[in-house]
Amino acid sequence: MSTNSVVGYLRSDGSIVSSYVHYDGYETGVGMTLLEHYNSDERALAVSVGGYYSSLSEDLKSSLEESVHHEEPDMFDTMEEFELFLMENSHLEFGYLWTGGKWMVSSWTTTVEGTGPYAEYNSTWNGFSWLVTSFVREGRKTVQRFRNLALEDNRDTAEYDEYADELEVVVEKWHRYGMGEIVAEHFETA
């Protein structure tokens, strides 16, 4: 099973170029890779014009070479066109966009009415939110989930604990960064 995502770059003329990533599209997968390795204007554009990635690693060249497919990037004339594309393609669970010198991530609110096979899922598009905030929130949940798995009986817990420890370091780094940005913005407007 895969978690699909799109990585886009908003150009100065308002158009967007984007690439598809087949695996690990969630915030602690592709999102973390973008923050850690593609967090500059030059690198964000480079990752957005690749076209297709089976998975995204810190090495853009190997990500392209190891991809199953080789496709051209998608082009959108406007932000509205890009958002409509995300809304109409439900298999794209995460949309990332480089704009204003930072990564943003698509935001949805999903409600469930009913239960079991009769449940209806309704999604509402909320636009984009800052990836750092979303990554920290989801990263902390993931760390806790892996710590809980490590506590379960009859499991080899070392791998879960190790991953939780490594992720926690990255999450806390971006938490400090995000808080620093918020404080700096506050003092600029004060």
PDB file of all heavy atoms in Angstrom, residues 4 41 67-68 96 123 129 131 158-159 164 170 189:
ATOM      1  N   ASN A   4       0.278   8.361  -1.473  1.00  0.00           N
ATOM      2  CA  ASN A   4       0.663   9.203  -2.601  1.00  0.00           C
ATOM      3  C   ASN A   4       0.691  10.674  -2.228  1.00  0.00           C
ATOM      4  O   ASN A   4      -0.110  11.139  -1.426  1.00  0.00           O
ATOM      5  CB  ASN A   4      -0.318   9.017  -3.760  1.00  0.00           C
ATOM      6  CG  ASN A   4      -0.561   7.558  -4.106  1.00  0.00           C
ATOM      7  OD1 ASN A   4      -1.633   7.198  -4.519  1.00  0.00           O
ATOM      8  ND2 ASN A   4       0.437   6.716  -3.928  1.00  0.00           N
ATOM      9  N   ASP A  41      15.039  27.483  -1.862  1.00  0.00           N
ATOM     10  CA  ASP A  41      14.366  27.767  -3.124  1.00  0.00           C
ATOM     11  C   ASP A  41      14.910  26.893  -4.256  1.00  0.00           C
ATOM     12  O   ASP A  41      14.139  26.293  -5.010  1.00  0.00           O
ATOM     13  CB  ASP A  41      14.511  29.257  -3.463  1.00  0.00           C
ATOM     14  CG  ASP A  41      13.506  29.695  -4.491  1.00  0.00           C
ATOM     15  OD1 ASP A  41      12.295  29.645  -4.200  1.00  0.00           O
ATOM     16  OD2 ASP A  41      13.938  30.058  -5.598  1.00  0.00           O
ATOM     17  N   SER A  67      13.326   5.322  -9.634  1.00  0.00           N
ATOM     18  CA  SER A  67      11.883   5.378  -9.863  1.00  0.00           C
ATOM     19  C   SER A  67      11.457   4.371 -10.922  1.00  0.00           C
ATOM     20  O   SER A  67      12.169   4.148 -11.899  1.00  0.00           O
ATOM     21  CB  SER A  67      11.472   6.786 -10.293  1.00  0.00           C
ATOM     22  OG  SER A  67      11.601   7.670  -9.203  1.00  0.00           O
ATOM     23  N   VAL A  68      10.290   3.793 -10.716  1.00  0.00           N
ATOM     24  CA  VAL A  68       9.747   2.807 -11.627  1.00  0.00           C
ATOM     25  C   VAL A  68       9.325   3.461 -12.948  1.00  0.00           C
ATOM     26  O   VAL A  68       9.492   2.893 -14.007  1.00  0.00           O
ATOM     27  CB  VAL A  68       8.547   2.079 -10.980  1.00  0.00           C
ATOM     28  CG1 VAL A  68       7.861   1.157 -11.959  1.00  0.00           C
ATOM     29  CG2 VAL A  68       8.990   1.323  -9.743  1.00  0.00           C
ATOM     30  N   TYR A  96       2.200  19.018  -1.203  1.00  0.00           N
ATOM     31  CA  TYR A  96       3.201  19.918  -0.627  1.00  0.00           C
ATOM     32  C   TYR A  96       3.468  21.034  -1.630  1.00  0.00           C
ATOM     33  O   TYR A  96       3.507  20.793  -2.837  1.00  0.00           O
ATOM     34  CB  TYR A  96       4.497  19.166  -0.329  1.00  0.00           C
ATOM     35  CG  TYR A  96       4.316  18.079   0.701  1.00  0.00           C
ATOM     36  CD1 TYR A  96       4.119  16.761   0.313  1.00  0.00           C
ATOM     37  CD2 TYR A  96       4.317  18.376   2.059  1.00  0.00           C
ATOM     38  CE1 TYR A  96       3.934  15.758   1.254  1.00  0.00           C
ATOM     39  CE2 TYR A  96       4.132  17.385   3.009  1.00  0.00           C
ATOM     40  CZ  TYR A  96       3.941  16.078   2.598  1.00  0.00           C
ATOM     41  OH  TYR A  96       3.760  15.095   3.528  1.00  0.00           O
ATOM     42  N   SER A 123     -14.994  15.053   3.074  1.00  0.00           N
ATOM     43  CA  SER A 123     -13.776  15.841   3.239  1.00  0.00           C
ATOM     44  C   SER A 123     -14.018  17.277   2.811  1.00  0.00           C
ATOM     45  O   SER A 123     -14.681  17.532   1.800  1.00  0.00           O
ATOM     46  CB  SER A 123     -12.634  15.260   2.408  1.00  0.00           C
ATOM     47  OG  SER A 123     -12.278  13.992   2.902  1.00  0.00           O
ATOM     48  N   SER A 129      -1.418  24.673   4.956  1.00  0.00           N
ATOM     49  CA  SER A 129      -0.889  25.140   6.244  1.00  0.00           C
ATOM     50  C   SER A 129       0.620  24.893   6.249  1.00  0.00           C
ATOM     51  O   SER A 129       1.145  24.120   5.448  1.00  0.00           O
ATOM     52  CB  SER A 129      -1.570  24.413   7.409  1.00  0.00           C
ATOM     53  OG  SER A 129      -1.362  23.015   7.324  1.00  0.00           O
ATOM     54  N   LEU A 131       4.051  23.455   6.789  1.00  0.00           N
ATOM     55  CA  LEU A 131       4.490  22.069   6.981  1.00  0.00           C
ATOM     56  C   LEU A 131       5.161  21.871   8.330  1.00  0.00           C
ATOM     57  O   LEU A 131       4.980  20.824   8.956  1.00  0.00           O
ATOM     58  CB  LEU A 131       5.421  21.633   5.844  1.00  0.00           C
ATOM     59  CG  LEU A 131       6.025  20.225   5.978  1.00  0.00           C
ATOM     60  CD1 LEU A 131       4.950  19.161   6.130  1.00  0.00           C
ATOM     61  CD2 LEU A 131       6.927  19.929   4.797  1.00  0.00           C
ATOM     62  N   ALA A 158      13.478  -3.248  19.774  1.00  0.00           N
ATOM     63  CA  ALA A 158      14.638  -2.403  19.489  1.00  0.00           C
ATOM     64  C   ALA A 158      14.418  -1.522  18.263  1.00  0.00           C
ATOM     65  O   ALA A 158      14.736  -0.331  18.273  1.00  0.00           O
ATOM     66  CB  ALA A 158      15.890  -3.267  19.306  1.00  0.00           C
ATOM     67  N   GLU A 159      13.859  -2.083  17.216  1.00  0.00           N
ATOM     68  CA  GLU A 159      13.645  -1.308  15.982  1.00  0.00           C
ATOM     69  C   GLU A 159      12.648  -0.178  16.206  1.00  0.00           C
ATOM     70  O   GLU A 159      12.836   0.937  15.727  1.00  0.00           O
ATOM     71  CB  GLU A 159      13.157  -2.232  14.875  1.00  0.00           C
ATOM     72  CG  GLU A 159      13.075  -1.552  13.530  1.00  0.00           C
ATOM     73  CD  GLU A 159      12.700  -2.517  12.424  1.00  0.00           C
ATOM     74  OE1 GLU A 159      12.947  -3.731  12.544  1.00  0.00           O
ATOM     75  OE2 GLU A 159      12.144  -2.030  11.429  1.00  0.00           O
ATOM     76  N   ALA A 164      11.725   5.616  16.942  1.00  0.00           N
ATOM     77  CA  ALA A 164      11.099   6.665  17.757  1.00  0.00           C
ATOM     78  C   ALA A 164      12.148   7.659  18.248  1.00  0.00           C
ATOM     79  O   ALA A 164      11.928   8.874  18.208  1.00  0.00           O
ATOM     80  CB  ALA A 164      10.349   6.041  18.942  1.00  0.00           C
ATOM     81  N   VAL A 170      14.498  14.747  15.318  1.00  0.00           N
ATOM     82  CA  VAL A 170      14.153  15.600  14.174  1.00  0.00           C
ATOM     83  C   VAL A 170      12.923  16.442  14.490  1.00  0.00           C
ATOM     84  O   VAL A 170      12.875  17.641  14.191  1.00  0.00           O
ATOM     85  CB  VAL A 170      13.938  14.755  12.897  1.00  0.00           C
ATOM     86  CG1 VAL A 170      13.528  15.631  11.723  1.00  0.00           C
ATOM     87  CG2 VAL A 170      15.195  13.968  12.565  1.00  0.00           C
ATOM     88  N   THR A 189       6.134  42.322  13.959  1.00  0.00           N
ATOM     89  CA  THR A 189       4.855  43.013  13.868  1.00  0.00           C
ATOM     90  C   THR A 189       4.542  43.870  15.085  1.00  0.00           C
ATOM     91  O   THR A 189       3.623  44.656  15.056  1.00  0.00           O
ATOM     92  CB  THR A 189       3.697  42.003  13.655  1.00  0.00           C
ATOM     93  OG1 THR A 189       3.661  41.093  14.761  1.00  0.00           O
ATOM     94  CG2 THR A 189       3.882  41.249  12.353  1.00  0.00           C
TER      95      THR A 189
END
